[in-house]
Amino acid sequence: LKMQFPKILIMTLFIAGIGFFCGCSANNKTGRPIEYYTLHYEPPASDEAPPLPVTLSIEKFTTSPPYNTTRIIYSTSEFSQNRYYYHQWITPPDEIVTQLLARDLITSNRFLAVMISNNMFADFLLTGTIDEFYEQDLDSQWNAVLSITIVLMNNLGKDETERICFQKNYKKIHLCEQKNPKSLARALSMDMSEISGQIREDIISAIVKLNGSQETPGKL
């Protein structure tokens, strides 16, 4: 009996190990590959106007719950939200939006420099929050919903009240051509393209207005 005990113990552990492995395999959703998506659109054409004599720093945007995830969020009713498992964003929404907005502001050629950082030495600081970033599933159609709130700060202002240039919310909803995540990514890209253009124009207008109110023109 003493000689057989180790063999019985080894066999028991081996069977238990097989059972554990099979249980894990059953719960692991690896049978289907995960598909990753991102937003894509062509950057705006360069503006022929000369650059404004200012630098702009963009702090990485934040994302409101429950959209702060790489999982694609969809909603089938006003009070419900779900997440795809096999369809995900390649990076979180805040990284996608911040990078695209910075690219668009750079390619506009309206600023001396645009940086993605909280740079206290930049003339202006742009902060933002992604309020909505999801797929809206209606009976007749799917929509891509994107909502962003930004705050433009003048780092050269004397106090907090003078530093805040403006705060504004931008929201766009585009129809998905088909009811699938790829069409969602395409429609959200259209949302982002339009919002980015509006943000760019509002920032330029605010800076020009502020610069025009200065007694001495030039660098703010």
Side-chain angles (χ1 to χ4, degrees):
L1 181 62
K2 290 183 180 181
M3 294 297 294
Q4 294 177 350
F5 178 74
K7 295 181 179 180
I8 296 175
L9 178 60
I10 292 173
M11 182 61 68
T12 301
L13 292 174
F14 178 75
I15 294 174
I18 293 177
F20 177 79
F21 177 79
C22 292
C24 292
S25 299
N27 294 325
N28 189 12
K29 301 178 180 180
T30 58
R32 176 181 172 184
I34 296 176
E35 296 184 36
Y36 295 96
Y37 302 83
T38 189
L39 304 189
H40 173 74
Y41 58 90
E42 293 299 321
S46 301
D47 201 319
E48 296 181 358
L52 298 170
V54 298
T55 56
L56 175 65
S57 178
I58 305 176
E59 186 175 77
K60 181 182 175 182
F61 283 18
T62 59
T63 306
S64 300
Y67 312 105
N68 189 22
T69 175
T70 56
R71 301 272 290 275
I72 294 180
I73 304 297
Y74 66 95
S75 175
T76 56
S77 66
E78 186 177 0
F79 301 104
S80 70
Q81 287 186 325
N82 299 282
R83 301 180 179 187
Y84 287 108
Y85 181 83
Y86 295 108
H87 304 284
Q88 301 185 21
W89 300 115
I90 191 69
T91 57
D94 48 15
E95 294 185 10
I96 295 175
V97 169
T98 303
Q99 292 290 336
L100 285 174
L101 182 58
R103 180 204 66 175
D104 294 348
L105 291 171
I106 291 171
T107 56
S108 71
N109 290 332
R110 293 306 312 275
F111 308 92
L112 291 180
V114 177
M115 301 156 282
I116 301 179
S117 66
N118 188 348
N119 192 325
M120 61 181 297
F121 298 107
D123 298 316
F124 290 88
L125 172 65
L126 182 67
T127 64
T129 302
I130 302 170
D131 303 307
E132 295 175 292
F133 194 91
Y134 73 100
E135 171 191 296
Q136 181 186 56
D137 295 356
L138 304 178
D139 292 336
S140 58
Q141 65 186 48
W142 285 9
N143 295 321
V145 182
L146 177 59
S147 176
I148 299 174
T149 300
I150 66 165
V151 178
L152 181 66
M153 307 284 290
N154 178 8
N155 283 342
L156 301 181
K158 297 179 181 179
D159 54 47
E160 285 296 323
T161 57
E162 291 186 4
R163 289 189 62 201
I164 300 177
C165 296
F166 72 88
Q167 178 181 20
K168 187 174 180 179
N169 173 262
Y170 305 81
K171 183 172 182 177
K172 291 291 181 180
I173 300 177
H174 272 89
L175 170 69
C176 299
E177 296 179 353
Q178 299 179 2
K179 294 182 177 182
N180 57 50
K182 185 175 181 179
S183 293
L184 169 68
R186 183 179 294 109
L188 273 173
S189 297
M190 297 172 62
D191 289 343
M192 183 61 203
S193 177
E194 294 182 8
I195 289 176
S196 176
Q198 292 177 354
I199 290 176
R200 182 177 66 254
E201 295 305 316
D202 288 343
I203 291 175
I204 292 173
S205 296
I207 294 176
V208 169
K209 182 179 179 180
L210 182 61
N211 193 31
S213 66
Q214 306 297 310
E215 296 181 1
T216 302
K219 187 177 176 65
L220 300 177

